[in-house]
Amino acid sequence: MSEILKRVADVIESRKIANGGDPEKSYVARLFSKGDDAILKKIGEEATETVMAAKDARAGGDASKVLYECADLWFHSMVLLAQFNLKPQDVIDELARREGLSGIDEKAARTE
Ligand SMILES: N=c1c2ncn([C@@H]3O[C@H](COP(=O)(O)OP(=O)(O)OP(=O)(O)O)[C@@H](O)[C@H]3O)c2ncn1[C@@H]1O[C@H](COP(=O)(O)O)[C@@H](O)[C@H]1O
């Protein structure tokens, strides 16, 4: 896993209230202190902002905004993973498991 993903995931873990995170000093601790709904709200916001940035870029705007919004979305997804005691490595492992498996073939093989 990318070293930066691991480092940021470690900091996020350290911001959990049970690990001493202080909502007065830390944005991540503040999110954890507010709970699931606050984290999920941020995921929804950042996903929408990503869509809007892409639409703007396609209409002649600044493509770098897509990058910034994706970074916000990845970061908040990492907070969500931590909330469920999951790690970026778990997502990477899942992507590795899927590697080479065509989405079309996978869909055709579904029984439900
Ligand atoms: N990568 C990030 C990161 N990306 C985005 N953000 C914050 O996520 C928020 C994004 O919200 P918006 O863009 O919607 O801006 P906003 O309107 O100010 O946000 P809200 O008031 O709606 O929450 C902003 O407050 C950003 O500063 C981040 N906050 C923290 N990190 C990482 O997390 C670490 C720990 O952060 P703290 O817990 O704050 O020390 C940092 O050292 C960084 O490595």
Side-chain angles (χ1 to χ4, degrees):
M1 177 170 56
S2 139
E3 282 305 310
I4 185 66
L5 285 183
K6 181 165 180 356
R7 282 201 302 276
V8 173
D10 286 348
V11 172
I12 289 171
E13 188 66 24
S14 76
R15 299 297 201 249
K16 287 184 175 176
I17 306 305
N19 294 334
D22 181 352
E24 294 296 318
K25 295 183 186 153
S26 154
Y27 172 78
V28 177
R30 193 169 301 175
L31 269 183
F32 280 135
S33 73
K34 290 179 180 170
D36 283 0
D37 283 356
I39 298 169
L40 295 174
K41 186 163 172 271
K42 288 309 293 183
I43 298 271
E45 283 175 20
E46 301 304 348
T48 302
E49 284 169 17
T50 302
V51 171
M52 287 162 47
K55 297 293 279 184
D56 286 350
R58 202 43 99 201
D62 182 358
S64 64
K65 292 207 176 124
V66 177
L67 169 68
Y68 302 142
E69 296 303 342
C70 277
D72 280 350
L73 183 57
W74 281 30
F75 167 69
H76 286 90
S77 297
M78 289 171 69
V79 175
L80 181 65
L81 287 170
Q83 177 79 338
F84 287 88
N85 296 315
L86 295 164
K87 297 196 176 305
Q89 186 63 53
D90 297 319
V91 177
I92 290 168
D93 290 347
E94 175 61 14
L95 290 172
R97 187 189 67 76
R98 296 179 189 183
E99 191 176 14
L101 178 63
S102 155
I104 291 173
D105 293 344
E106 184 275 330
K107 193 166 181 178
R110 281 186 206 164
T111 52
E112 292 176 12

